[in-house]
Amino acid sequence: MSHQRCTIKGGTLQRTKEGTRYEGTDGSYILFRGVRCHVSKWLARPLTAYQFCGHIVIGRRWARSSFDVQLLAHEYGHYLQQRELGLWKYLWRIALPSVFSVLRNARQHFTKDFERDASRRGRDYLRSELRYIT
């Protein structure tokens, strides 16, 4: 987020000292602790996103069209995997296999065990932390 704030489908992302705060147009909000989000034309292919060392990079075209809080939570799940495994194990067990999975067969990418695990972790985090303005 080059200007500290950006829009994704269904809401906005705001950089804070603690991480990235999502504010939904439906009154929902959540803090993704420990991560910085970046929307980039150069660091991510148009319809891709990835997490590495606490940085979630979202392709600009995807951010403008259909990247939503569920997909952000999936990438946050990768952050949680990296925290649990450590950098080197994460690189070899998840990050590199994920890159090769997308390159080989993007349609089957989300069926891989490490991707399903990231989605589960992200969904669990959303369930426990998502709040609504009352």
Side-chain angles (χ1 to χ4, degrees):
M1 293 182 304
S2 57
H3 301 334
Q4 308 291 326
R5 189 175 186 89
C6 71
T7 301
I8 63 172
K9 182 179 179 186
T12 59
L13 303 177
Q14 173 74 43
R15 186 176 292 171
T16 72
K17 289 180 183 177
E18 297 83 23
T20 298
R21 179 182 166 99
Y22 168 81
E23 296 177 7
T25 55
D26 62 354
S28 64
Y29 63 95
I30 185 171
L31 177 64
F32 290 94
R33 294 185 185 284
V35 297
R36 301 273 186 217
C37 290
H38 310 273
V39 173
S40 176
K41 181 179 180 181
W42 308 108
L43 296 176
R45 295 189 57 157
L47 296 174
T48 64
Y50 61 90
Q51 182 286 142
F52 187 69
C53 293
H55 294 270
I56 296 173
V57 181
I58 309 160
R60 186 186 301 174
R61 201 165 108 206
W62 204 11
R64 289 180 180 168
S65 61
S66 58
F67 191 88
D68 62 9
V69 71
Q70 299 292 327
L71 290 165
L72 181 60
H74 169 84
E75 293 305 325
Y76 191 74
H78 284 304
Y79 168 73
L80 297 174
Q81 289 172 327
Q82 184 179 336
R83 282 190 45 197
E84 181 180 308
L85 293 172
L87 177 60
W88 293 108
K89 285 182 182 175
Y90 175 77
L91 275 173
W92 291 108
R93 292 182 185 174
I94 296 172
L96 290 173
S98 182
V99 169
F100 290 124
S101 168
V102 168
L103 292 174
R104 263 188 251 139
N105 190 347
R107 290 182 185 179
Q108 295 296 314
H109 177 66
F110 282 101
T111 67
K112 304 295 182 193
D113 287 342
F114 48 83
E115 295 299 326
R116 289 196 331 253
D117 180 63
S119 293
R120 179 193 53 78
R121 289 171 189 252
R123 275 193 313 272
D124 290 349
Y125 188 78
L126 276 178
R127 252 186 240 119
S128 68
E129 299 295 323
L130 189 68
R131 304 287 183 258
Y132 289 86
I133 298 170
T134 55

